[in-house]
Amino acid sequence: MKLLSAPSKKNDVIILGGGSVGLSLALMLLNQGLRLSVIDRRQDLPWIPPAEFDTRVYALNPQSCALLEKLGAWKYLDTSRIGIIREMEVFGDDQGHLRFGERSNYLAKVVEDGAIQSALRSVLQAMYGQSWFQVNEVHSLHLNTSDISIELNASQSLSTSLLIGADGAQSWLRQTLNWEADRHDYRQQGIVMNLSCSEPHDQIARQWFIDGEVIALLPLGGNHISLVWSAHQDHAQSLLALESCDLVDALRSKIGMPLGPLKALSPARGFPLQLVKVPKIAGERCALVGDAAHGIHPLAGQGLNLGFADAACLAQSIEERGLGPDVGDQSVLRRYVRRRALPVSLMQEVTDKLHLLFSQNTLIVRPLRNMGMNLVNNIPFLKSLLVSHAAGSTER
Ligand SMILES: Cc1cc2nc3c(=O)[nH]c(=O)nc-3n(C[C@H](O)[C@H](O)[C@H](O)COP(=O)(O)OP(=O)(O)OC[C@H]3O[C@@H](n4cnc5c(N)ncnc54)[C@H](O)[C@@H]3O)c2cc1C
């Protein structure tokens, strides 16, 4: 950390990172009347929906959907492009089968990354213009007694009561503060790609656990689906090197043709998968939210859902201070830390243990896990627990 000259502008909050989590938090805090700036190194370009869907899509649980609704962002989404997951069907690697969900309700809605960010920006723009946002990068920060100062490009400096890192998995803020991140590399990549299917997906998300890998097909609008294939590193490299139609063939050889012939609509992209535990997520007038604060395996599709819940929790913790301490006060941050500890570690444990369970290929574990799936499939109470977990109702 380095000492700076007198800052030019005082904010209550600066959010570093204007991805979905940073933008949602910005909106919640601006709605509280706080003075706020969001800094992102990316240009704020208008989002033009690609004809064949954004390759990055997220299964948002009902809580995240309700948050976007409450913030006024949902009305900016094109509902014809949104996939609804009413049921989930999971296949083991030895006759194990599990199906849960209710037709009358939904487990999640599948929304494009670009669409979420564009919808949040539209609300922010309509309510607060553009002055809250700047394209920039932070070089250094200095903690003073009553605030924190940051230095940006072109020798510009800003001061704030609270600096929030919503700057993703490689968080600059987390690294600069030397807040540790315990990483476990899954040695897998999440390969994502959009496809069209010739038979209706029936609003069912399908997932296969095969050879220690996980293949998920998520319904999108119309007859489109999104593939998320968590593949071992070497296998992922070879899959990513294939022509799209050959990748579809490789997929068919694993899962058959549950939705009839599939056609690739986009090139595949790969993302490294890691479990990232961050023991310290707040303190000294700084806090982390979203992927800056945690990383999980995407097999349960919950990373962004956790991030939205972080944002809602931090905004609530700030609001609850009333006329009391300033927004960067330790008591506010401690409340945030306390509330997020259990939901985040629970989700990390569940996804990590599920991944571990299906990576073991011993003669004992394999039949047991498949029996376990069939057992759960026949116990309504356990199935409704699964539904509430998938729907995010364990979040608070
Ligand atoms: C294969 C795969 C599938 C997934 N599927 C799901 C799913 O179905 N459901 C779900 O809930 N989650 C899912 N996730 C998780 C989800 O992708 C992340 O949790 C989510 O995108 C994190 O959002 P964020 O806003 O925290 O970070 P990001 O989206 O990474 O945003 C970070 C922002 O910070 C900016 N930034 C970074 N560093 C700086 C800097 N130094 N200066 C200025 N700006 C900076 C970046 O430009 C970016 O705009 C999936 C993940 C993977 C890999």
Side-chain angles (χ1 to χ4, degrees), residues 273-322:
L273 304 183
Q274 287 191 335
L275 170 68
V276 184
K277 293 186 179 178
V278 182
K280 181 170 181 177
I281 60 160
E284 295 115 41
R285 299 198 167 275
C286 294
L288 304 174
V289 289
D291 276 17
H294 40 70
I296 60 170
H297 196 287
L299 66 86
Q302 293 293 344
L304 182 55
N305 290 312
L306 278 181
F308 278 143
D310 295 343
C313 175
L314 183 52
Q316 190 191 343
S317 303
I318 289 172
E319 190 167 31
E320 282 170 5
R321 87 195 185 288

Side-chain angles (χ1 to χ4, degrees), residues 17 21 40-42 56 58-59 166-167 290-291 301-305:
V21 176
D40 199 297
R41 57 156 81 106
R42 277 186 310 160
R56 294 304 319 258
Y58 303 120
D167 49 347
D291 276 17
Q302 293 293 344
L304 182 55
N305 290 312

Side-chain angles (χ1 to χ4, degrees), residues 168-181:
Q170 305 304 325
S171 172
W172 175 90
L173 184 60
R174 190 182 67 215
Q175 293 180 39
T176 304
L177 292 167
N178 283 323
W179 290 358
E180 270 175 42

Side-chain angles (χ1 to χ4, degrees), residues 128-169:
Y128 303 106
Q130 267 297 342
S131 58
W132 54 272
F133 183 76
Q134 57 170 303
V135 182
N136 219 322
E137 274 193 72
V138 186
H139 291 304
S140 56
L141 56 84
H142 180 73
L143 181 66
N144 312 302
T145 17
S146 60
D147 64 12
I148 191 161
S149 336
I150 59 170
E151 190 171 25
L152 308 171
N153 277 342
S155 317
Q156 193 194 348
S157 60
L158 297 172
S159 78
T160 181
S161 299
L162 176 62
L163 177 61
I164 298 172
D167 49 347

